[in-house]
Amino acid sequence: MITTLIILALSAVFFVNGKVRSDLVALCALVLLMVFNILTPAEALSGFSNSVVIMMVGLFVVGGAIFKTGLAKMIGSKILQLAGTSEIKLFILIMLVTAFIGAFVSNTGTVALMLPIVVSMAMNANINPSRFLMPLAFASSMGGMATLIGTPPNLVVQEALSNAGYNDLSFFSFTPIGIVCITVGIIILIPLSKWFLTKKDENKKTDASSGRSPQELAAKYSLSDNLYRVRVHKDSLVRNRKLQELNITSLYNLTILEIRRKSSSQGRFMKTVDQKLAGPDTEIQEEDILYVFGDFENIDKFVKENHLDLTESQVSEFTGDAEKLSVREIGIAEVLLMPDSKLINRAVKDSGFRDKYSVNILGIERKNEYILSDVKDVKMHAGDILLIQGNWDDIARMSKKQSQWVVLGQPVEEASKVTLDYKAPVAAGIMVLMIAAMVFDFIPIPPVTAVLIAAILMVLTGCFRNVEDAYKTINWESIVLIAAMLPMSLALEKTGASSLISEKLVGGLGNYGPLVLMAGIYFTTSLLTMFISNTATAVLVAPIALQSAIAIGVSPYPFLLAVTVGASMCFASPFSTPPNALVMSAGKYTFMDYVKVGLPLQVIMGIIMVFVLPLLFPF
């Protein structure tokens, strides 16, 4: 027992210190429990097979898909419209929406679903997401108190009452408690989050090495001023001919950037248009849309001589319109030529970029001047910055071979920011079905199964560009933290530490009346939940609370409800509840951030609930 408590105390010290990553601290604690034979390897590793941990992995993927498809931005923009320009109104809306969802869906699932939406909203409103993410996690736990299924401790105390022969609590018996919790939470968190969670932006570099987004590059090189859209019809002379046969670049001094073609995909929620990078072997077909870059005089000549249709005088890209130039699959980036590059003094047409990397060179920045005409014949100089266009994968491939050039910025990261908007209805449908399976009892699918099915469907239906993108959305630090800390409750139970602590604290308060005894049970539960999971705490303390109430001859309902509220309203630790852990990395929080914001809220909430519970459920 002593060894277990020492390991727990050391873990808490390192968590508070924050110099060692929290997941590494949790793993070290887990290894020590095995080294001292407190837990068997099977018991110690049981956390990694726990349904809550597996559910968290699946929910990260589902949440990532909601972000990647632009669904998060769509939902966030609707909430932003309601909030207007008021940060306080936005804060309250986030809390209320999260609490409402948390009343019917597991708090872990609620946070995983809302996290990408809130991040998107914060970015659109130019507010640091850290201002909202911790309150988001807390609101999901508060909302969970509103219904029977909202949080696991509610089910634990329901089972304890049922086994003891008392009447079951109804689905909405907890609702008044939930309303009080969310009201208190909003009032307390508005000032606390503003004081302690408004973190400074750490990434304010604006030099060239930091790179630019596709939108910024388009503006920098004035692409929209020289980009035109041309339609091919049945009488066009270029129809059914390859680009290398047409020699458009030499004859007209134009560049075909991209060809848009009706997609062969079937179905309402599939891509309706395919993007094709224009290459020498690309064959132009009827009804193709050619995106042509060059001077208008040359465009006009090309259109008239080849019987084409100029559908718009100019194209304004990045508008979100399906007919505009898109950077979903085909992107743009800048390449800086090194002084010792073999490309120095070579003409652009001899660079080999097209043959080796399947990218086009659209323009050159040289000594703050931009070369956009007759680019193919321009000889490249050391220090030139080339604007290239190609598939994101090809641009990423170039960035790995940077001995002769440097791809500026992070093109792979920029590609990940481009949302697959046409998949948003698919992601929304999968999300709704997953929530329905978790809420309605007549659907015979366990919640963890529903989440895993949803995660797999998100990948199979193309809500991610590839499987690797899906894996990247999983926050492994949070997963390992929770999985490694879950067995700690088993260690405390096996050694008798939990029972000893609970019985001593509760037993000494029995002579001071039911209110003091209930307060002791509440804060004992609250204290234990700071170090072990809220579900495990409820399982340990519920029988003690029940017996304590029976021993002094009062109703056990307020006592058991004190257990579930105390277990669920734990905010001072990142690993007491899965929602707290879920937002830790995304919000860039330290352990002390939870103490600064969560501890005052936890104490105030406890004091208020000690007096509210007997009013709602008399002794």
Side-chain angles (χ1 to χ4, degrees):
M1 183 192 299
I2 300 298
T3 306
T4 303
L5 293 175
I6 291 173
I7 293 172
L8 181 61
L10 286 173
S11 300
V13 169
F14 279 104
F15 280 131
V16 172
N17 182 266
K19 291 184 178 179
V20 182
R21 278 177 49 134
S22 55
D23 53 342
L24 188 57
V25 173
L27 282 173
C28 290
L30 192 65
V31 169
L32 288 173
L33 291 174
M34 286 191 284
V35 168
F36 288 102
N37 293 320
I38 297 168
L39 294 178
T40 65
E43 290 171 336
L45 299 175
S46 62
F48 290 91
S49 62
N50 188 282
S51 61
V52 171
V53 174
I54 303 301
M55 188 183 295
M56 284 175 66
V57 172
L59 287 168
F60 271 124
V61 175
V62 172
I66 292 170
F67 191 82
K68 294 287 186 183
T69 57
L71 183 61
K73 193 171 184 178
M74 294 175 196
I75 298 172
S77 64
K78 295 294 183 185
I79 298 177
L80 272 176
Q81 287 175 9
L82 293 173
T85 57
S86 171
E87 185 176 337
I88 296 295
K89 196 181 290 185
L90 179 60
F91 183 93
I92 294 172
L93 276 171
I94 289 172
M95 293 280 287
L96 291 176
V97 170
T98 304
F100 179 77
I101 297 172
F104 302 97
V105 180
S106 74
N107 50 14
T108 308
T110 301
V111 171
L113 292 174
M114 286 293 293
L115 194 148
I117 296 170
V118 171
V119 169
S120 181
M121 275 193 294
M123 292 171 66
N124 289 340
N126 292 318
I127 302 170
N128 195 305
S130 62
R131 170 82 158 89
F132 300 126
L133 292 182
M134 193 183 293
L136 166 73
F138 295 168
S140 71
S141 297
M142 295 169 192
M145 286 307 309
T147 63
L148 178 64
I149 64 168
T151 184
N154 290 4
L155 296 171
V156 170
V157 300
Q158 163 80 311
E159 186 178 5
L161 286 166
S162 180
N163 292 339
Y166 291 90
N167 293 330
D168 289 344
L169 295 164
S170 69
F171 189 87
F172 292 107
S173 292
F174 297 86
T175 303
I177 301 173
I179 293 172
V180 173
C181 288
I182 191 64
T183 303
V184 172
I186 290 173
I187 294 171
I188 301 300
L189 283 174
I190 286 175
L192 287 180
S193 62
K194 192 168 185 64
W195 294 337
F196 299 115
L197 298 182
T198 307
K199 296 176 178 292
K200 294 180 180 179
D201 191 357
E202 299 172 357
N203 300 309
K204 292 190 176 180
K205 296 180 181 178
T206 56
D207 55 71
S209 63
S210 65
R212 294 178 172 89
S213 70
Q215 292 88 337
E216 292 168 332
L217 288 176
K220 177 182 175 182
Y221 287 88
S222 302
L223 288 188
S224 60
D225 296 337
N226 297 281
L227 187 62
Y228 301 84
R229 188 169 67 181
V230 175
R231 184 184 298 276
V232 180
H233 53 77
K234 63 180 181 179
D235 297 324
S236 300
L237 299 182
V238 299
R239 185 172 68 92
N240 298 330
R241 297 182 66 186
K242 292 183 179 180
L243 287 178
Q244 63 184 0
E245 300 173 19
L246 299 170
N247 202 18
I248 294 171
T249 304
S250 297
L251 291 175
Y252 301 100
N253 193 24
L254 300 174
T255 302
I256 308 293
L257 296 188
E258 178 187 329
I259 296 174
R260 302 296 289 275
R261 183 171 296 162
K262 286 186 178 180
S263 177
S264 56
S265 302
Q266 300 295 319
R268 181 181 173 187
F269 297 131
M270 303 304 288
K271 227 179 5 177
T272 57
V273 177
D274 286 328
Q275 285 182 269
K276 294 186 180 296
L277 189 68
D281 297 323
T282 304
E283 185 177 286
I284 299 176
Q285 298 177 8
E286 186 179 340
E287 296 302 318
D288 278 355
I289 301 293
L290 311 181
Y291 285 82
V292 190
F293 184 66
D295 293 333
F296 180 73
E297 293 78 10
N298 297 332
I299 297 285
D300 190 52
K301 181 181 177 183
F302 170 62
V303 168
K304 288 177 179 176
E305 290 184 1
N306 292 278
H307 302 168
L308 298 162
D309 293 330
L310 187 61
T311 60
E312 286 182 7
S313 60
Q314 290 180 330
V315 177
S316 177
E317 61 275 11
F318 311 115
T319 62
D321 188 327
E323 290 297 317
K324 305 300 184 184
L325 184 61
S326 169
V327 287
R328 288 173 185 155
E329 286 86 20
I330 298 174
I332 52 179
E334 288 182 310
V335 172
L336 173 66
L337 291 185
M338 303 298 284
D340 58 347
S341 173
K342 294 178 181 178
L343 298 176
I344 303 302
N345 293 324
R346 281 192 186 181
V348 166
K349 62 184 178 183
D350 299 324
S351 66
F353 277 23
R354 155 55 59 187
D355 298 330
K356 293 179 182 178
Y357 298 102
S358 299
V359 300
N360 296 322
I361 298 178
L362 306 184
I364 300 174
E365 179 187 355
R366 179 180 294 167
K367 296 179 180 178
N368 296 322
E369 294 183 355
Y370 298 94
I371 304 171
L372 300 172
S373 300
D374 299 315
V375 175
K376 64 183 178 62
D377 296 318
V378 175
K379 288 188 176 182
M380 293 173 282
H381 296 176
D384 279 356
I385 297 177
L386 312 179
L387 178 67
I388 62 171
Q389 179 211 30
N391 291 318
W392 285 114
D393 290 341
D394 292 324
I395 294 174
R397 190 158 54 92
M398 282 191 69
S399 67
K400 295 177 182 177
K401 297 183 179 181
Q402 301 195 140
S403 58
Q404 298 183 59
W405 57 74
V406 175
V407 177
L408 300 179
Q410 301 291 332
V412 176
E413 283 74 4
E414 290 300 336
S416 68
K417 296 174 187 175
V418 180
T419 55
L420 307 173
D421 295 348
Y422 60 92
K423 288 291 183 181
V426 179
I430 294 171
M431 182 182 73
V432 169
L433 290 174
M434 181 193 76
I435 293 173
M438 295 171 72
V439 171
F440 299 113
D441 293 334
F442 62 82
I443 301 177
I445 300 177
V448 66
T449 308
V451 170
L452 289 178
I453 291 172
I456 293 170
L457 285 176
M458 290 292 190
V459 176
L460 293 178
T461 55
C463 293
F464 293 96
R465 283 188 172 82
N466 48 53
V467 179
E468 287 73 20
D469 273 359
Y471 280 118
K472 288 176 183 176
T473 63
I474 301 171
N475 185 334
W476 293 108
E477 182 178 354
S478 298
I479 297 297
V480 172
L481 173 65
I482 290 292
M485 287 305 296
L486 281 174
M488 180 64 75
S489 60
L490 181 60
L492 290 172
E493 186 179 6
K494 279 185 70 175
T495 57
S498 294
S499 298
L500 181 64
I501 294 170
S502 301
E503 288 171 4
K504 291 291 184 183
L505 286 171
V506 175
L509 299 173
N511 297 327
Y512 297 98
L515 186 65
V516 175
L517 179 56
M518 190 192 72
I521 289 172
Y522 184 100
F523 286 106
T524 298
T525 306
S526 187
L527 178 65
L528 286 175
T529 308
M530 290 178 63
F531 303 102
I532 58 178
S533 76
N534 59 348
T535 305
T537 302
V539 170
L540 292 171
V541 182
I544 299 171
L546 181 66
Q547 292 304 317
S548 299
I550 293 173
I552 62 172
V554 297
S555 170
Y557 286 94
F559 283 74
L560 284 168
L561 287 166
V563 172
T564 188
V565 177
S568 299
M569 299 298 101
C570 186
F571 311 117
S573 162
F575 51 81
S576 56
T577 63
N580 291 5
L582 272 172
V583 300
M584 186 176 187
S585 178
K588 297 180 181 178
Y589 300 127
T590 64
F591 188 95
M592 285 308 297
D593 287 330
Y594 286 87
V595 174
K596 290 175 185 175
V597 177
L599 186 58
L601 175 61
Q602 189 169 325
V603 172
I604 294 170
M605 185 77 75
I607 293 170
I608 291 173
M609 293 311 298
V610 164
F611 292 100
V612 167
L613 285 175
L615 297 177
L616 298 174
F617 298 88
F619 293 117

